[in-house]
């Protein structure tokens, strides 16, 4: 190995009840090897100038970036392009006589070339999946995508199959990047939401904390099989007197490590720039939809959609049929509200004809509409949109400018706005 409130789906009873382990940092490669021997493991890999999650067969293939990977975790669960079904049209006498439709299981992401499938006939893809090296913001983003693709009202079969067959092992961020603002979006550099297991870097060792029952089962299976890894707590065993209790020495060691973890969390959170009003701007956005500020805020935006494609929570897609002669397939591809064709009607009418309307839509969707529909903002503060914008637009400055708008007592926005920070 090279280098080194609304979201409650952790499903576990808590660290003390599910297990805490310790891993010598020098044995991280062995830890990965233990995972690879038991699971189909995805981890960060280097591809040219980018890092992304991909299947790995050895620890040597893994490259942990300093913070988040260049490409978002979502492409493992929602590939940029994938086939949903195949069809064949039969004809007789020049007329359609039959249509044969064959659903396609979640398999290779066409746009990535990465096999992200589950449950196919291939032996390897039938193995339980583990994603190692997720940062807390990306793990949290999955809980937001769940609200769209695995809700009570709608379940996307491809997404759900991948999601439910995958355990998430995160690594906390000891040194967040300057573009990170996860603490403004409800998360944090040591946030456990969305993870099954989280590793906290405490210097010489990693504190390995099971967050869910699935995570506890995962690390229990590694004890004794991975050099340099041992558990400090064990789930209670029914019918066995004393089950679940720690030896006094382990108990003291556990308290020391948990205290060190809390200190590391405080230091990491202190590195993140001042809070921006990401979660508190929902009500204001509802009354400034027509405000003249949008006419200034959007001007630098090129409409390239790099922000949307690299965002771990953006999930817009298009569906198209591709056919040659009588056979074809239905393909789902990523799309973005920043593109002029996204809302173009068949009549030729476009309700968002300009970049201003499309820029406003993206901000409104993330920080207002998603809150109304799902109870949280659609942003985890990973900073990819800031890091990769070709004209250096910064969503934190956009939010600060919107927050600075004065609202009159009758809830209508004042005409004045400062967009100088954008």
């Amino acid at each position: 190995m090279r280098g080194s409130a609304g979201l409650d789906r952790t499903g576990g009873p808590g660290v003390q009840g599910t297990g805490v382990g310790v891993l010598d940092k020098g044995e991280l490669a062995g830890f990965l090897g233990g995972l690879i021997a038991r699971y189909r493991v995805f981890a960060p890999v280097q591809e040219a100038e980018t890092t992304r999650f991909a299947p790995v067969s050895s620890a040597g293939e893994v490259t942990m970036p300093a913070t988040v990977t260049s490409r978002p975790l979502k492409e493992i669960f929602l590939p940029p392009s994938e086939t949903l079904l195949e069809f064949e049209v039969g004809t007789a006498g020049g007329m359609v006589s039959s249509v044969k439709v064959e659903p396609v299981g979640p398999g290779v992401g066409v746009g990535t070339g990465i096999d992200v499938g589950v449950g196919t006939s291939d032996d390897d893809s039938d193995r339980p999946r583990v994603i190692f090296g997720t940062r807390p913001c990306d793990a949290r983003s999955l809980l937001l995508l769940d609200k769209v693709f695995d809700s009570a009202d709608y379940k996307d079969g491809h997404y759900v199959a991948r999601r439910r067959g995958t355990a998430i092992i995160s690594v906390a961020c000891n040194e967040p990047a300057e573009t990170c603002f996860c603490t403004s979006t409800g998360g944090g550099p040591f946030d456990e939401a969305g993870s099954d297991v989280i590793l906290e870097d405490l210097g010489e060792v990693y504190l390995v904390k099971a967050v869910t029952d699935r995570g506890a089962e995962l690390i229990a299976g590694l004890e004794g099989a991975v050099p340099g890894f041992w558990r400090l707590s064990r789930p209670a065993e029914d019918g066995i007197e004393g089950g679940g209790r720690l030896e006094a020495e382990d108990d003291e060691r556990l308290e020391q490590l948990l205290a060190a973890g809390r200190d590391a969390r405080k230091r990491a959170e202190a590195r993140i720039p001042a809070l921006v009003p990401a979660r508190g701007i929902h009500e204001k956005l509802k009354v400034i939809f027509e405000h003249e500020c949008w006419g200034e805020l959007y001007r630098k935006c090129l409409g390239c959609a790099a922000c949307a494609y690299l965002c771990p929570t953006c999930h817009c897609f298009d569906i198209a049929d591709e056919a040659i002669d009588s056979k074809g397939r239905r393909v789902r591809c990523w799309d973005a509200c920043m593109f002029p064709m996204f809302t173009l009607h068949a009549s030729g009418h476009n309700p968002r004809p300009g970049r201003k309307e499309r820029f406003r839509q993206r901000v409104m969707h993330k920080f207002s509409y998603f809150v109304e529909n799902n109870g949280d903002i659609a942003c985890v503060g990973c900073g990819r949109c800031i890091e990769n914008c070709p004209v250096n637009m910064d969503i934190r400055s956009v939010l600060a400018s919107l927050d600075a708008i004065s609202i009159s007592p009758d809830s209508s926005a004042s005409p004045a706005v400062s967009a100088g920070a954008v």
Side-chain angles (χ1 to χ4, degrees):
M1 178 174 175
R2 293 166 285 174
S4 67
L7 298 180
D8 185 17
R9 194 176 167 175
T10 56
V15 169
Q16 295 290 343
T18 55
V20 179
V22 179
L23 173 67
D24 290 335
K25 288 185 72 174
E27 298 292 347
L28 183 55
F31 182 81
L32 279 166
L35 290 175
I36 292 169
R38 292 163 175 76
Y39 304 95
R40 187 168 183 235
V41 176
F42 293 70
V45 299
Q46 187 78 41
E47 288 188 0
E49 299 299 318
T50 67
T51 50
R52 70 190 312 180
F53 288 92
V56 295
S57 57
S58 71
E61 300 173 37
V62 180
T63 299
M64 278 295 293
T67 55
V68 294
T69 51
S70 310
R71 302 281 291 260
L73 179 62
K74 70 179 178 184
E75 66 182 2
I76 299 300
F77 299 92
L78 188 67
S81 179
E82 66 174 325
T83 301
L84 301 178
L85 59 85
E86 296 175 340
F87 58 85
E88 181 174 2
V89 178
T91 59
M95 303 291 286
V96 174
S97 59
S98 63
V99 178
K100 181 181 179 182
V101 176
E102 291 290 340
V104 176
V108 177
V110 177
T112 63
I114 296 175
D115 183 0
V116 294
V118 291
T120 69
S121 58
D122 179 81
D123 289 342
D124 188 53
S125 66
D126 280 338
R127 301 168 70 197
R129 308 195 318 172
V130 167
I131 296 181
F132 174 85
T134 306
R135 295 299 184 180
C137 53
D138 270 343
R140 187 179 182 82
S141 74
L142 296 178
L143 301 184
L144 296 168
L145 293 178
D146 289 345
K147 293 174 179 287
V148 179
F149 295 103
D150 191 12
S151 69
D153 297 329
Y154 172 73
K155 295 189 182 300
D156 183 282
H158 286 223
Y159 175 87
V160 171
R162 293 180 178 120
R163 185 78 170 93
R164 294 184 178 174
T166 308
I168 306 295
I169 301 180
S170 296
V171 178
C173 290
N174 286 56
E175 298 184 0
E178 292 183 357
T179 50
C180 294
F181 60 106
C182 55
T183 52
S184 298
T185 62
F190 280 54
D191 183 26
E192 298 173 355
S195 300
D196 293 297
V197 176
I198 186 166
L199 275 61
E200 298 179 357
D201 185 346
L202 302 183
E204 298 296 323
V205 300
Y206 286 106
L207 182 63
V208 183
K209 300 165 68 174
V211 180
T212 67
D213 291 339
R214 178 162 59 179
E217 182 180 351
L218 190 152
I219 66 172
L222 296 176
E223 188 175 39
V226 175
F229 172 73
W230 68 97
R231 287 192 298 160
L232 288 175
S233 63
R234 297 175 175 81
E237 299 176 55
D238 292 340
I240 300 177
E241 186 177 354
R245 292 188 305 182
L246 298 174
E247 298 295 334
E249 183 178 345
D250 279 351
D251 197 13
E252 181 179 355
R253 177 65 168 153
L254 174 60
E255 289 305 319
Q256 291 173 348
L257 291 170
L258 291 175
R262 288 192 292 270
D263 290 341
R265 174 194 293 257
K266 290 179 182 177
R267 289 193 297 271
E269 290 176 349
R271 293 175 63 92
I272 297 182
L275 298 176
V276 295
R279 304 191 89 187
I281 204 167
H282 163 55
E283 293 298 327
K284 177 169 285 187
L285 287 176
K286 290 196 295 186
V287 298
I288 61 172
F289 183 83
E290 299 289 355
H291 196 278
E292 63 183 19
C293 67
W294 300 108
E296 295 296 326
L297 291 172
Y298 90 96
R299 288 189 180 280
K300 286 175 61 177
C301 179
L302 302 177
C304 68
C307 53
Y309 276 30
L310 295 175
C311 175
T313 68
C314 278
H315 52 270
C316 292
F317 58 82
D318 190 16
I319 292 179
D321 289 347
E322 300 175 346
I324 298 177
D325 298 328
S326 62
K327 296 182 179 180
R329 62 177 185 168
R330 179 158 295 173
V331 181
R332 174 167 63 187
C333 304
W334 287 2
D335 204 344
C337 58
M338 309 300 287
F339 295 146
M341 295 285 286
F342 184 75
T343 49
L344 181 63
H345 296 181
S347 65
H349 171 66
N350 193 336
R352 299 178 202 141
R355 283 186 290 121
K356 184 189 80 171
E357 291 80 10
R358 296 192 286 273
F359 175 84
R360 179 179 59 190
Q361 164 63 22
R362 185 163 191 274
V363 175
M364 294 292 292
H365 187 201
K366 285 193 161 298
F367 300 101
S368 183
Y369 304 151
F370 203 86
V371 177
E372 291 184 13
N373 293 330
N374 300 294
D376 211 328
I377 60 174
C379 175
V380 293
C382 69
R384 289 187 179 90
C385 60
I386 303 169
E387 181 73 23
N388 294 281
C389 178
V391 293
N392 297 320
M393 290 198 76
D394 189 328
I395 188 64
R396 296 171 299 185
S397 297
V398 172
L399 293 172
S401 294
L402 293 169
D403 188 54
I405 296 174
S406 299
I407 303 296
S408 63
D410 62 358
S411 296
S412 61
S414 73
V417 60
S418 172
V422 178

